Amino acid sequence: GAGVSQSPSNKVTEKGKDVELRCDPISGHTALYWYRQSLGQGLEFLIYFQGNSAPDKSGLPSDRFSAERTGGSVSTLTIQRTQQEDSAVYLCAGAGTSNTGELFFGEGSRLTVL
Amino acid sequence: GENVEQHPSTLSVQEGDSAVIKCTYSDSASNYFPWYKQELGKRPQLIIDIRSNVGEKKDQRIAVTLNKTAKHFSLHITETQPEDSAVYFCAAEDSGTYKYIFGTGTRLKVLA
């Protein structure tokens, strides 16, 4: 596609429910990142995928968070048993084969946990 | 791992004045430092970047300087305009991991 697509754009859920956030990166981008942006905060690294390599999960805040990337393209971030502190904007970004270079961000998925 | 600190958190300048945002990083092996601009309700977008083999880079009204010895880099915006109002993030690549560690952002307000 022309850009990075994320869905849903907004998600309101009740505490304890599971949520799935989807990212569809730019075709050909082998690197894919998930970041979390809490209100007034910076961009917190969550997880990084590169091609067929094992993902770097070092930023996931707890075992309630997981992500997968199927076929080197679409990625899903899953949050189980959501808590109020999970409320944030979840941003997906892709990058080309050079690794060190521009990140192309999606518009984000705003998650609100009541 | 890499740690990036960014100052100030908010910055207000009069239209036409200059704005400077500063960042420090911890990993002396880092070699790539991008700056992103995020307008209200929009996605972050790259505005300029610098690699460790140069000390300064300019693109029209924006410039970035890098001091590897001191492990800090700065964004300079000259002749600010209202459309420069946004949140600016610095970042550094966590060397060898391809992770980009971001600062906490600077909200720039350009007053007309």
Side-chain angles (χ1 to χ4, degrees):
Chain A
V4 179
S5 178
Q6 289 189 246
S7 60
S9 55
N10 279 287
K11 176 71 176 179
V12 180
T13 191
E14 294 179 346
K15 177 182 174 181
K17 300 285 189 180
D18 297 353
V19 297
E20 285 190 352
L21 308 176
R22 175 188 168 104
C23 173
D24 199 344
I26 295 171
S27 178
H29 277 185
T30 58
L32 187 146
Y33 301 76
W34 282 97
Y35 284 87
R36 178 168 70 176
Q37 185 173 24
S38 302
L39 187 62
Q41 300 299 308
L43 301 172
E44 177 189 6
F45 169 80
L46 297 178
I47 189 169
Y48 160 63
F49 296 89
Q50 174 58 273
N52 295 321
S53 302
D56 181 336
K57 305 179 181 180
S58 59
L60 295 179
S62 77
D63 59 8
R64 295 186 296 105
F65 288 72
S66 63
E68 63 178 20
R69 189 178 185 192
T70 54
S73 180
V74 172
S75 178
T76 302
L77 177 69
T78 301
I79 309 173
Q80 296 179 310
R81 305 181 301 282
T82 52
Q83 303 294 311
Q84 289 183 332
E85 59 263 29
D86 299 335
S87 296
V89 176
Y90 290 82
L91 289 162
C92 171
T97 57
S98 66
N99 288 325
T100 301
E102 182 173 3
L103 295 183
F104 293 86
F105 283 89
E107 296 279 1
S109 292
R110 180 177 297 278
L111 174 65
T112 303
V113 182
L114 302 176
Chain B
E2 180 70 275
N3 183 50
V4 177
E5 295 189 356
Q6 182 172 348
H7 300 281
S9 56
T10 60
L11 178 60
S12 293
V13 298
Q14 289 293 134
E15 183 177 359
D17 287 351
S18 295
V20 180
I21 303 170
K22 300 180 178 181
C23 290
T24 60
Y25 61 98
S26 61
D27 184 357
S28 58
S30 291
N31 58 18
Y32 177 65
F33 308 91
W35 286 88
Y36 285 80
K37 176 183 180 182
Q38 186 177 31
E39 296 179 3
L40 187 62
K42 296 190 176 180
R43 70 190 78 193
Q45 291 188 300
L46 180 73
I47 55 171
I48 195 168
D49 57 13
I50 192 167
R51 298 181 190 273
S52 59
N53 57 344
V54 297
E56 183 176 8
K57 183 177 179 181
K58 290 184 180 180
D59 183 3
Q60 299 183 346
R61 295 187 298 106
I62 61 173
V64 57
T65 58
L66 172 64
N67 183 328
K68 281 191 65 71
T69 301
K71 292 189 284 188
H72 67 70
F73 56 113
S74 300
L75 178 71
H76 304 253
I77 307 174
T78 58
E79 303 173 22
T80 53
Q81 301 170 3
E83 54 264 37
D84 295 330
S85 296
V87 178
Y88 293 81
F89 293 97
C90 63
E93 183 199 355
D94 192 2
S95 62
T97 69
Y98 306 118
K99 290 187 307 191
Y100 297 87
I101 305 303
F102 284 81
T104 50
T106 296
R107 182 174 299 278
L108 174 65
K109 296 181 183 179
V110 179
L111 307 173

